Amino acid sequence: MNELVYWVMGLLFSIVLRTFFRYHTPPRCNNALLDTALTPTLPLLLIDHSEVKARGAYKIPQRGPVLFVVGPHANQFIDPMVLVTHSGRSVSFLMAKKSFDLFWIGLFGRALGSIPVIRPQDISQKGIGRLTFSPADSPESRLVAGIDTKFTEQLRARTVLGFTGSNNVEVVEVLSDTLVKVKAISEGAGKVLAEHEDGVTFKATPHVDQNDMFSAVTDRLNEGKCVGIFPEGGSHDRTDFLPLKAGASIMALAAMSQNEFLNVQIVPTGLNYFNAHKWRSRAVIEFGDPITVTKEQVEAYKKGGESKRKAIAEVMDTILKGLKAVTVTAKDYDTLMLIQAARRLYRPIHMKLTIDETVYLNRRFAEVFSKFADDPLVLDTMDRVKEYNGLLKSYGIEDHQVMRTSFGKRVAARKFILRVVEAFFLFVFAAPGALLHAPIALIAKKISNQKAAKALRESSVKIEGRDVMATWKVLVSLVVAPLLYTVYSLVFFTYLLISSTFTLRQCIISTIIFSAVTVVFGVAAMRASEIGFDVIKSLRPLYLSVFADTEVLRLMRADLAQRINHTITEIGPRLYNSKEEFEASRIIRPEDLRYSEILIEKMNKSKNKTVDEVVMEHIKSGEATDGIVLLKAKEVAVDGKKAQ
C-alpha cells in the first residue's frame, strides 16, 4: 500500500513539474558553466514574472564581439538575469564594485563573469566643514573658500564638490585647508555660494581612474565575447532615461582603435516592465538593430581632441536613438498613465493583443504624445482621456471592466453569486499553501521595503526606490525558501520517526516526497490565488450592473474610442511621413476598429451578452461579411469557448 501511495504521489509531482517547466522555462545562454550557475535562480525568476517575452532576438549576432547597451535600468539585478536568459549568448556585465563586494550578489556576479566598476558616487564622502563664496572674489577667479574645512586632507585635483540644488564644481588645485581653485563656477553655483554667507554643506566625490575596467572590457571584446552595460550608470524607477554615460561609446571605439580587424556590434536592448516591483509582473525584452561603428568614427577617435569628442558623441547619439526605438518612455508618471489608457481605448474589444504588441502600441502612442504635444487634436484627446480616467476612479473600476457593466440586473446578480462562490473555493484551496509560504512573503516584503527606503535615501534620482524591490524579493527568497523547506521537512521527519510505525527508510522517502509536494503545492496555491484575485476584481463591474447606472460610462468610452481612432488616423501619416508607411505599420487595421464599434453598439443594446457571445451572434446573422474581420471574429469566438 505504501509503495502505491509513493508511486501515485511521485507520478503527480513529475506531471506538475514537467508541465510547469515545459511552458515556463525561458531560453538559456550557450555557456554550460553559466547555465549551471543560473539554475538556482531560474525558478524564482519564473515565479517572480508571470511572463517574459523576447522580441528581435534574431538580430543578435551569433558570433563576434557584441556590446549590449541596456536600458532603462528599472530592476537592479533582475535586469541582467532577464538579458542573460533571453539573449542566447554569454554576457559579462559591468557591475558596481559596491555590489560586487556583497557576498551573495558578488557570487552571482562572478558566475556571470562580471567586471567590477568603481562608481564615483559609491565612494563619495560628506565634506568636512562648509563651502562659501567671498563677495570680494568673482566667478572668473574660480576660487571657492571653506569654513572649518580640511581641503588638504580631503581633496585632490579632479575631485568634484557637490552642494545645494545639484550644483557642483571640479577642483583643479588645493591651495590651503580653506581655499581651492576650481575648473569653473556656473552662474547657479556662484549664486548659491554667494547667498549662503554661513556656507553650505557639500559632498566630495573623488576622480576614479577606470583604465583597468576599460582594459578588461577591451580584452573581452578582442576575444569575441559579449559585454553588457547599463549606460545610465545605475538603476532607477523613473519613466524616462537618465542622462547616458559615454562609457559604451568609448568602449567600442577604444577596442576597435586598438585592433583594426575588430568589428564590435552594439545591440540596443530595451527592457519594458509592467509593475516591475511586484510579484508576477510581466516584461518584454526587445533587441534593436545592431549598430556598426564606422571606420571614419574610429579614425576620428584616434586623432584625439575635438575629433575624438565628436566621434564619441556621434556613437552615443546613435545608441540613444536605438534605445528609444525599443523602449517606452514618458516625461512623467501621469503621461505614462495617459499613454497606457489611450492604448487600451484604441484596442478593439474583440482583439487579444500579445504583450509585445502592447509594448509596440505604447511606444507609438508615446511618440504621438511627444512629437505632437501641441497639436489641438492631440491636446483635446489627452484632456478627454484624463476626464475618463477620473470617472473610472470615481466608479472604482478599470477600463477593461467597463463593458462588463452592460449586463442586465438579473444576469449580473447570477454571475456575481457564482463568482463569489468560485473565489471562495479558490481561496480555500490556496489557503494551506499560502500559510505555509507566508514567512517567505512577509520576510521578502519587509526586507525589500527596507532596501528600497535605504536606496531612496542614498540616491538623488530615484522616486520611490522601487527598482531594488524585486531584486531583494528574489535574493531573500533564495535564502529563506530553502531554510523554510528544510525546517518543514525536519519537523515532518521527526513526527514520522516518533509517532508512526514507519521504518527509517520509509521516513526518509516520505520526507523527500513531502518536501517535493510542499514546493509544488506552493506554486499551485500561488496560481490559485492569482486566479482568485482576478475573480474578485471582476465582482465590482457586476455589482455596478446590479446597483448603479453605468450607461453614461459605457457611452463615454465608446465615444472616446472613436475619437482616439480618428486622432491616430489623422496624426499617424504625419508620424511616419507617408500614409502608405503608416498603413503598412498598423497592427490594428481600420476594419478591426469599425467592427469593434459595431460590437460596442450591439453590447450597449443587448445588456446580457459578453463580447464573445455578441461576436458569435454577429457571425450567425451573416452581418460580418468582411473576410479579415470575420476570420478574427471567429478566432475570438473560439478562444472564448475554450476559456469557458
Side-chain angles (χ1 to χ4, degrees):
M1 183 65 182
N2 287 338
E3 286 75 9
L4 179 61
V5 172
Y6 295 152
W7 184 84
V8 172
M9 292 178 71
L11 178 63
L12 288 173
F13 172 70
S14 66
I15 291 172
V16 173
L17 199 63
R18 289 178 64 184
T19 303
F20 179 76
F21 282 101
R22 177 184 175 188
Y23 290 107
H24 290 81
T25 302
R28 308 290 293 277
C29 62
N30 58 4
N31 184 305
L33 179 62
L34 185 54
D35 272 350
T36 303
L38 285 173
T39 297
T41 66
L42 283 174
L44 284 172
L45 180 62
L46 297 171
I47 293 172
D48 183 50
H49 292 80
S50 62
E51 182 180 10
V52 179
K53 184 71 177 287
R55 292 189 68 194
Y58 66 90
K59 298 177 182 178
I60 302 171
Q62 294 305 302
R63 286 192 294 271
V66 174
L67 188 62
F68 289 97
V69 182
V70 191
H73 194 5
N75 218 346
Q76 206 179 30
F77 304 120
I78 299 295
D79 291 344
M81 291 171 64
V82 173
L83 174 60
V84 168
T85 53
H86 289 80
S87 65
R89 295 195 63 176
S90 302
V91 184
S92 300
F93 280 93
L94 299 188
M95 177 183 283
K97 192 175 187 302
K98 179 181 177 182
S99 301
F100 199 82
D101 290 339
L102 299 174
F103 179 77
W104 290 106
I105 296 172
L107 197 65
F108 177 69
R110 290 180 182 87
L112 288 175
S114 298
I115 302 168
V117 180
I118 301 174
R119 300 186 302 179
Q121 63 264 36
D122 291 337
I123 57 174
S124 64
Q125 298 178 333
K126 184 179 180 181
I128 300 171
R130 300 182 302 280
L131 299 180
T132 187
F133 179 65
S134 173
D137 295 324
S138 64
E140 288 76 17
S141 67
R142 296 183 295 147
L143 296 175
V144 172
I147 301 173
D148 299 329
T149 50
K150 296 182 179 181
F151 288 157
T152 55
E153 293 181 18
Q154 193 174 25
L155 307 184
R156 297 287 183 273
R158 301 186 73 178
T159 297
V160 175
L161 308 179
F163 50 94
T164 307
S166 299
N167 290 293
N168 58 72
V169 292
E170 183 180 330
V171 175
V172 173
E173 184 181 359
V174 180
L175 301 177
S176 70
D177 267 342
T178 57
L179 193 66
V180 292
K181 188 172 186 178
V182 299
K183 195 171 185 179
I185 302 177
S186 67
E187 183 179 345
K191 186 177 180 181
V192 169
L193 292 174
E195 288 176 349
H196 294 76
E197 295 182 3
D198 56 343
V200 294
T201 58
F202 67 99
K203 272 190 175 183
T205 304
H207 171 71
V208 178
D209 185 356
Q210 301 287 16
N211 284 333
D212 290 343
M213 179 271 292
F214 280 108
S215 296
V217 171
T218 300
D219 290 343
R220 302 282 172 93
L221 295 175
N222 274 318
E223 293 169 4
K225 296 181 179 179
C226 302
V227 175
I229 180 172
F230 296 94
E232 295 166 290
S235 64
H236 63 93
D237 53 354
R238 292 180 174 270
T239 56
D240 202 353
F241 288 108
L242 297 178
L244 303 188
K245 314 289 185 186
S249 175
I250 295 171
M251 289 170 191
L253 287 165
M256 292 179 68
S257 67
Q258 295 175 25
N259 184 349
E260 61 178 316
F261 300 107
L262 194 67
N263 181 25
V264 178
Q265 297 286 295
I266 303 173
V267 177
T269 306
L271 290 170
N272 301 279
Y273 288 100
F274 296 79
N275 299 313
H277 63 292
K278 295 182 179 179
W279 285 110
R280 308 301 291 159
S281 60
R282 297 186 302 156
V284 174
I285 178 170
E286 184 167 356
F287 301 98
D289 295 320
I291 297 169
T292 301
V293 179
T294 65
K295 290 184 179 180
E296 290 75 17
Q297 289 169 333
V298 175
E299 292 302 319
Y301 179 84
K302 288 180 181 178
K303 290 178 182 178
E306 186 60 34
S307 296
K308 180 178 180 179
R309 285 191 289 273
K310 186 178 178 182
I312 293 171
E314 283 180 1
V315 176
M316 281 309 303
D317 285 344
T318 308
I319 289 173
L320 180 57
K321 289 177 183 176
L323 278 175
K324 286 189 172 181
V326 291
T327 52
V328 179
T329 57
K331 63 180 181 180
D332 53 44
Y333 181 77
D334 289 338
T335 304
L336 184 61
M337 292 300 98
L338 278 178
I339 290 168
Q340 293 181 354
R343 182 260 304 160
R344 285 192 295 268
L345 289 162
Y346 181 65
R347 179 188 67 84
I349 62 170
H350 64 286
M351 287 188 68
K352 308 290 192 292
L353 298 181
T354 63
I355 187 173
D356 49 328
E357 288 174 335
T358 299
V359 170
Y360 175 84
L361 280 181
N362 280 342
R363 192 177 303 129
R364 297 289 82 85
F365 272 104
E367 287 183 51
V368 169
F369 286 177
S370 174
K371 291 184 179 180
F372 303 97
D374 298 325
D375 188 284
L377 191 59
V378 173
L379 287 172
D380 178 65
T381 301
M382 291 177 71
D383 288 340
R384 290 176 182 274
V385 173
K386 286 180 185 177
E387 182 183 353
Y388 174 70
N389 279 346
L391 192 58
L392 286 178
K393 191 173 181 181
S394 68
Y395 274 92
I397 61 175
E398 303 290 338
D399 171 69
H400 68 273
Q401 297 174 319
V402 171
M403 296 311 297
R404 299 178 195 171
T405 65
S406 64
F407 295 114
K409 294 184 184 298
R410 185 178 299 175
V411 174
R414 186 172 69 250
K415 286 180 177 289
F416 183 87
I417 294 170
L418 288 173
R419 290 187 184 181
V420 167
V421 173
E422 182 183 1
F424 172 78
F425 281 108
L426 282 168
F427 283 115
V428 166
F429 172 77
L435 288 173
L436 285 172
H437 293 80
I440 301 175
L442 293 174
I443 295 171
K445 183 177 181 180
K446 183 177 180 180
I447 293 179
S448 64
N449 285 336
Q450 290 174 345
K451 294 295 182 180
K454 181 183 177 183
L456 188 60
R457 288 194 303 270
E458 296 176 351
S459 173
S460 60
V461 299
K462 300 182 192 296
I463 298 174
E464 296 182 29
R466 289 182 170 184
D467 53 300
V468 305
M469 294 182 73
T471 290
W472 281 102
K473 284 176 183 177
V474 169
L475 290 175
V476 170
S477 299
L478 273 172
V479 176
V480 175
L483 290 176
L484 189 66
Y485 292 139
T486 301
V487 170
Y488 288 156
S489 299
L490 287 174
V491 170
F492 183 78
F493 176 77
T494 304
Y495 172 79
L496 288 181
L497 202 59
I498 296 173
S499 304
S500 73
T501 58
F502 282 15
T503 64
L504 178 63
R505 178 174 175 273
Q506 289 174 325
C507 288
I508 293 173
I509 294 174
S510 298
T511 302
I512 293 172
I513 295 174
F514 168 80
S515 301
V517 170
T518 302
V519 175
V520 173
F521 194 69
V523 175
M526 177 189 67
R527 182 59 184 148
S529 299
E530 274 187 69
I531 298 170
F533 281 117
D534 287 339
V535 172
I536 287 176
K537 289 176 184 177
S538 72
L539 296 179
R540 179 66 180 172
L542 292 173
Y543 172 85
L544 292 173
S545 294
V546 177
F547 298 104
D549 182 11
T550 55
E551 187 173 0
V552 173
L553 188 60
R554 293 195 301 275
L555 292 175
M556 184 179 182
R557 189 193 190 283
D559 177 68
L560 191 51
Q562 289 181 356
R563 287 181 180 274
I564 291 174
N565 177 22
H566 173 68
T567 300
I568 296 302
T569 302
E570 291 293 321
I571 299 293
R574 291 158 57 188
L575 181 67
Y576 284 86
N577 299 319
S578 73
K579 188 173 181 179
E580 291 75 17
E581 189 177 347
F582 166 65
E583 292 296 337
S585 70
R586 296 182 74 158
I587 60 174
I588 297 177
R589 316 303 302 172
E591 53 267 26
D592 296 321
L593 296 166
R594 288 195 300 271
Y595 190 62
S596 180
E597 292 173 8
I598 294 171
L599 293 178
I600 290 173
E601 184 179 351
K602 284 183 173 292
M603 284 188 70
N604 285 333
K605 289 179 181 178
S606 174
K607 300 291 185 185
N608 292 323
K609 293 186 175 127
T610 64
V611 176
D612 297 329
E613 288 170 343
V614 172
V615 168
M616 287 298 294
E617 183 181 273
H618 200 221
I619 293 172
K620 290 176 181 177
S621 69
E623 296 177 45
T625 54
D626 186 285
I628 297 176
V629 171
L630 183 59
L631 178 61
K632 291 189 177 181
K634 286 181 178 177
E635 289 174 354
V636 172
V638 170
D639 290 341
K641 281 190 173 181
K642 287 180 180 177
Q644 291 171 3

Coordinates of all heavy atoms in Angstrom, one line a residue, residues 459-512:
S459 N 20.1 58.0 -2.9 CA 20.1 58.4 -4.3 C 19.4 59.7 -4.5 O 18.5 60.1 -3.8 CB 19.4 57.3 -5.1 OG 19.2 57.7 -6.5
S460 N 19.9 60.4 -5.5 CA 19.2 61.7 -5.9 C 18.3 61.6 -7.1 O 17.7 62.6 -7.6 CB 20.3 62.8 -6.1 OG 21.2 62.4 -7.2
V461 N 18.3 60.4 -7.7 CA 17.5 60.2 -8.9 C 16.3 59.3 -8.8 O 15.4 59.3 -9.6 CB 18.4 59.6 -10.1 CG1 19.5 60.6 -10.4 CG2 18.9 58.2 -9.7
K462 N 16.3 58.5 -7.7 CA 15.1 57.6 -7.5 C 13.9 58.3 -7.0 O 14.0 59.4 -6.4 CB 15.5 56.5 -6.5 CG 16.7 55.6 -6.9 CD 16.9 54.5 -5.9 CE 18.3 53.8 -6.1 NZ 18.4 53.1 -7.4
I463 N 12.7 57.8 -7.3 CA 11.5 58.4 -6.9 C 10.9 57.7 -5.7 O 10.6 58.4 -4.7 CB 10.4 58.4 -8.1 CG1 10.9 59.2 -9.3 CG2 9.1 59.0 -7.6 CD1 10.1 59.1 -10.5
E464 N 10.8 56.4 -5.7 CA 10.3 55.6 -4.6 C 11.2 54.5 -4.2 O 11.0 53.7 -3.3 CB 8.9 55.1 -4.8 CG 7.9 56.2 -5.0 CD 6.5 55.6 -5.2 OE1 6.2 54.5 -4.7 OE2 5.6 56.3 -5.9
G465 N 12.3 54.3 -5.0 CA 13.2 53.2 -4.8 C 12.7 51.8 -5.2 O 13.2 50.8 -4.7
R466 N 11.7 51.8 -6.1 CA 11.1 50.5 -6.5 C 12.0 49.7 -7.3 O 11.7 48.5 -7.5 CB 9.8 50.8 -7.3 CG 8.7 51.4 -6.4 CD 7.4 51.6 -7.3 NE 6.2 51.9 -6.5 CZ 5.0 52.0 -7.0 NH1 4.8 51.9 -8.3 NH2 4.0 52.3 -6.2
D467 N 13.0 50.2 -7.9 CA 13.9 49.5 -8.8 C 14.7 48.4 -8.0 O 15.2 47.5 -8.7 CB 14.9 50.4 -9.5 CG 15.6 51.3 -8.5 OD1 15.0 52.1 -7.8 OD2 16.9 51.2 -8.4
V468 N 14.8 48.5 -6.7 CA 15.6 47.4 -6.0 C 14.6 46.4 -5.3 O 15.1 45.4 -4.8 CB 16.4 48.1 -4.9 CG1 17.3 49.2 -5.4 CG2 15.6 48.7 -3.7
M469 N 13.3 46.6 -5.4 CA 12.4 45.7 -4.6 C 12.4 44.3 -5.1 O 12.5 43.3 -4.3 CB 11.0 46.4 -4.6 CG 11.0 47.7 -3.8 SD 9.3 48.4 -3.7 CE 8.5 47.3 -2.5
A470 N 12.2 44.1 -6.4 CA 12.1 42.8 -7.0 C 13.4 42.0 -6.8 O 13.4 40.8 -6.5 CB 11.8 42.8 -8.5
T471 N 14.5 42.7 -6.9 CA 15.8 42.1 -6.7 C 15.9 41.5 -5.3 O 16.3 40.3 -5.1 CB 17.0 43.1 -6.9 OG1 17.0 43.4 -8.3 CG2 18.3 42.5 -6.4
W472 N 15.5 42.3 -4.3 CA 15.7 41.8 -2.9 C 14.6 40.8 -2.6 O 14.9 39.9 -1.7 CB 15.7 43.0 -2.0 CG 17.0 43.7 -1.9 CD1 17.3 44.8 -2.6 CD2 18.2 43.2 -1.3 NE1 18.7 45.1 -2.4 CE2 19.2 44.1 -1.6 CE3 18.5 42.1 -0.5 CZ2 20.5 43.9 -1.1 CZ3 19.8 41.9 -0.1 CH2 20.8 42.8 -0.3
K473 N 13.5 40.8 -3.2 CA 12.5 39.8 -3.0 C 13.1 38.4 -3.5 O 12.9 37.4 -2.8 CB 11.2 40.1 -3.8 CG 10.4 41.2 -3.1 CD 9.1 41.5 -3.9 CE 8.3 42.6 -3.3 NZ 7.2 43.0 -4.1
V474 N 13.7 38.4 -4.6 CA 14.3 37.2 -5.2 C 15.5 36.7 -4.3 O 15.6 35.5 -4.0 CB 14.7 37.4 -6.6 CG1 15.6 36.2 -7.1 CG2 13.5 37.6 -7.5
L475 N 16.4 37.7 -3.9 CA 17.5 37.3 -3.1 C 17.1 36.7 -1.8 O 17.7 35.7 -1.3 CB 18.4 38.5 -2.9 CG 19.2 39.0 -4.2 CD1 19.9 40.3 -3.9 CD2 20.1 38.0 -4.7
V476 N 16.1 37.4 -1.1 CA 15.7 36.9 0.2 C 15.0 35.5 0.0 O 15.3 34.6 0.8 CB 14.7 37.9 0.8 CG1 14.0 37.3 2.0 CG2 15.4 39.2 1.2
S477 N 14.2 35.4 -1.1 CA 13.6 34.1 -1.3 C 14.6 33.0 -1.5 O 14.4 31.8 -1.1 CB 12.6 34.2 -2.5 OG 11.6 35.1 -2.2
L478 N 15.7 33.3 -2.2 CA 16.7 32.3 -2.5 C 17.3 31.8 -1.2 O 17.7 30.6 -1.1 CB 17.9 32.9 -3.3 CG 17.7 32.9 -4.8 CD1 18.8 33.7 -5.5 CD2 17.7 31.5 -5.3
V479 N 17.4 32.6 -0.1 CA 17.9 32.2 1.2 C 16.8 31.6 2.1 O 17.0 30.5 2.6 CB 18.6 33.4 1.9 CG1 19.1 33.0 3.2 CG2 19.7 33.9 1.0
V480 N 15.7 32.3 2.2 CA 14.6 31.9 3.1 C 13.9 30.6 2.7 O 13.6 29.7 3.5 CB 13.6 33.0 3.3 CG1 12.5 32.6 4.2 CG2 14.3 34.3 3.9
A481 N 13.6 30.5 1.4 CA 12.8 29.3 0.9 C 13.5 28.0 1.3 O 12.9 27.1 1.8 CB 12.5 29.5 -0.6
P482 N 14.8 27.8 0.9 CA 15.4 26.5 1.3 C 15.4 26.3 2.8 O 15.2 25.1 3.2 CB 16.8 26.7 0.7 CG 16.7 27.7 -0.3 CD 15.7 28.6 0.1
L483 N 15.7 27.3 3.6 CA 15.7 27.2 5.0 C 14.3 26.8 5.5 O 14.2 25.9 6.4 CB 16.1 28.5 5.7 CG 17.6 28.9 5.5 CD1 17.8 30.3 6.1 CD2 18.5 27.9 6.2
L484 N 13.2 27.4 5.0 CA 11.9 27.1 5.4 C 11.5 25.7 5.1 O 10.9 24.9 5.9 CB 10.9 28.1 4.8 CG 9.5 28.0 5.3 CD1 9.4 28.5 6.8 CD2 8.6 28.9 4.4
Y485 N 11.8 25.2 3.8 CA 11.5 23.9 3.4 C 12.3 22.9 4.3 O 11.8 21.8 4.6 CB 11.9 23.7 1.9 CG 11.0 24.4 1.0 CD1 11.5 25.1 -0.1 CD2 9.6 24.5 1.3 CE1 10.6 25.8 -1.0 CE2 8.8 25.2 0.4 CZ 9.3 25.9 -0.7 OH 8.5 26.6 -1.5
T486 N 13.5 23.2 4.6 CA 14.3 22.3 5.5 C 13.7 22.2 6.9 O 13.6 21.1 7.4 CB 15.8 22.9 5.7 OG1 16.4 23.0 4.4 CG2 16.6 22.0 6.5
V487 N 13.2 23.3 7.4 CA 12.5 23.2 8.7 C 11.3 22.4 8.7 O 11.1 21.5 9.5 CB 12.2 24.7 9.2 CG1 11.3 24.6 10.4 CG2 13.4 25.4 9.6
Y488 N 10.5 22.6 7.6 CA 9.3 21.8 7.5 C 9.6 20.3 7.3 O 8.9 19.4 7.9 CB 8.5 22.3 6.2 CG 7.8 23.6 6.4 CD1 7.5 24.4 5.3 CD2 7.4 24.1 7.6 CE1 6.8 25.6 5.4 CE2 6.8 25.3 7.8 CZ 6.5 26.1 6.6 OH 5.9 27.3 6.8
S489 N 10.6 20.0 6.5 CA 11.0 18.6 6.3 C 11.5 18.0 7.6 O 11.2 16.8 7.9 CB 12.1 18.5 5.2 OG 11.6 19.0 4.0
L490 N 12.3 18.7 8.4 CA 12.8 18.2 9.7 C 11.6 17.9 10.6 O 11.6 16.9 11.3 CB 13.8 19.1 10.3 CG 15.2 19.2 9.6 CD1 16.0 20.3 10.2 CD2 15.9 17.9 9.7
V491 N 10.7 18.8 10.7 CA 9.5 18.7 11.6 C 8.7 17.4 11.1 O 8.3 16.6 12.0 CB 8.6 19.9 11.6 CG1 7.3 19.6 12.3 CG2 9.4 21.1 12.2
F492 N 8.5 17.3 9.8 CA 7.7 16.2 9.3 C 8.5 14.8 9.6 O 7.9 13.8 10.0 CB 7.5 16.3 7.8 CG 6.7 15.3 7.2 CD1 5.3 15.3 7.3 CD2 7.3 14.3 6.4 CE1 4.5 14.3 6.7 CE2 6.5 13.3 5.8 CZ 5.1 13.3 6.0
F493 N 9.8 14.8 9.3 CA 10.6 13.6 9.5 C 10.6 13.2 11.0 O 10.4 12.0 11.4 CB 12.0 13.9 9.1 CG 13.0 12.7 9.3 CD1 13.0 11.6 8.5 CD2 13.9 12.8 10.4 CE1 13.8 10.6 8.8 CE2 14.7 11.7 10.7 CZ 14.7 10.6 9.8
T494 N 10.7 14.2 11.9 CA 10.7 13.9 13.4 C 9.4 13.4 13.8 O 9.3 12.4 14.6 CB 11.0 15.2 14.1 OG1 12.3 15.8 13.7 CG2 11.1 14.9 15.6
Y495 N 8.3 14.0 13.3 CA 7.0 13.5 13.6 C 6.8 12.0 13.2 O 6.3 11.2 13.9 CB 5.9 14.4 12.9 CG 4.5 13.8 13.0 CD1 3.8 14.0 14.2 CD2 3.9 13.1 12.0 CE1 2.5 13.5 14.4 CE2 2.6 12.6 12.1 CZ 1.9 12.8 13.3 OH 0.7 12.3 13.4
L496 N 7.2 11.7 11.9 CA 7.1 10.3 11.5 C 7.9 9.4 12.3 O 7.5 8.3 12.6 CB 7.5 10.2 10.0 CG 6.6 10.9 8.9 CD1 7.2 10.6 7.5 CD2 5.2 10.3 9.0
L497 N 9.1 9.8 12.6 CA 10.0 8.9 13.4 C 9.5 8.6 14.8 O 9.6 7.5 15.3 CB 11.4 9.6 13.5 CG 12.6 8.7 13.7 CD1 12.8 7.7 12.6 CD2 13.9 9.6 13.8
I498 N 8.8 9.6 15.4 CA 8.4 9.4 16.7 C 7.0 8.8 16.8 O 6.7 7.9 17.6 CB 8.4 10.8 17.5 CG1 9.8 11.3 17.6 CG2 7.7 10.7 18.9 CD1 9.9 12.7 18.2
S499 N 6.1 9.3 15.9 CA 4.7 8.9 16.1 C 4.2 7.8 15.1 O 3.0 7.4 15.3 CB 3.8 10.2 15.8 OG 4.2 11.2 16.7
S500 N 4.9 7.4 14.1 CA 4.5 6.4 13.2 C 5.2 5.1 13.4 O 6.2 5.0 14.1 CB 4.6 6.9 11.8 OG 6.0 6.9 11.4
T501 N 4.7 4.1 12.6 CA 5.4 2.8 12.7 C 6.3 2.6 11.5 O 6.8 1.5 11.2 CB 4.3 1.7 12.6 OG1 3.5 1.9 11.5 CG2 3.4 1.8 13.9
F502 N 6.6 3.7 10.7 CA 7.4 3.6 9.6 C 8.9 3.3 10.0 O 9.3 3.7 11.1 CB 7.5 5.0 8.8 CG 6.2 5.2 8.0 CD1 5.1 4.5 8.1 CD2 6.2 6.3 7.0 CE1 4.0 4.7 7.4 CE2 5.1 6.5 6.3 CZ 4.0 5.7 6.4
T503 N 9.5 2.6 9.1 CA 11.0 2.3 9.2 C 11.7 3.6 8.9 O 11.2 4.6 8.4 CB 11.4 1.2 8.3 OG1 11.3 1.6 7.0 CG2 10.6 -0.1 8.6
L504 N 13.0 3.6 9.2 CA 13.8 4.8 8.9 C 13.8 5.1 7.4 O 13.7 6.3 7.0 CB 15.3 4.6 9.4 CG 16.3 5.8 9.2 CD1 15.8 7.0 9.9 CD2 17.7 5.4 9.6
R505 N 13.9 4.1 6.6 CA 13.9 4.2 5.2 C 12.6 4.8 4.7 O 12.6 5.7 3.9 CB 14.2 2.9 4.5 CG 14.2 2.9 3.0 CD 14.6 1.5 2.4 NE 14.4 1.5 1.0 CZ 13.3 1.2 0.3 NH1 12.2 0.9 1.0 NH2 13.3 1.2 -1.0
Q506 N 11.5 4.3 5.2 CA 10.2 4.9 4.8 C 10.0 6.3 5.3 O 9.5 7.1 4.6 CB 9.1 4.0 5.5 CG 8.9 2.6 4.8 CD 7.9 1.8 5.6 OE1 7.8 1.9 6.8 NE2 7.2 0.9 4.8
C507 N 10.6 6.7 6.5 CA 10.5 8.0 6.9 C 11.3 9.0 6.0 O 10.8 10.1 5.7 CB 11.1 8.1 8.4 SG 10.0 7.4 9.6
I508 N 12.5 8.5 5.5 CA 13.3 9.4 4.6 C 12.6 9.6 3.3 O 12.5 10.7 2.8 CB 14.7 8.7 4.4 CG1 15.5 8.8 5.8 CG2 15.4 9.5 3.3 CD1 16.8 8.0 5.7
I509 N 12.1 8.5 2.7 CA 11.4 8.6 1.4 C 10.1 9.4 1.6 O 9.9 10.3 0.7 CB 11.0 7.1 0.9 CG1 12.2 6.3 0.6 CG2 10.1 7.3 -0.3 CD1 12.0 4.9 0.2
S510 N 9.4 9.3 2.6 CA 8.2 10.1 2.8 C 8.5 11.5 3.0 O 7.8 12.4 2.5 CB 7.4 9.6 4.1 OG 7.0 8.3 4.0
T511 N 9.6 11.8 3.7 CA 10.0 13.2 3.8 C 10.4 13.9 2.5 O 10.1 15.0 2.2 CB 11.2 13.3 4.9 OG1 10.8 12.7 6.1 CG2 11.6 14.8 5.1
I512 N 11.1 13.1 1.7 CA 11.5 13.6 0.4 C 10.3 13.9 -0.5 O 10.2 15.0 -1.1 CB 12.4 12.6 -0.4 CG1 13.8 12.5 0.4 CG2 12.6 13.0 -1.8 CD1 14.7 11.3 -0.2

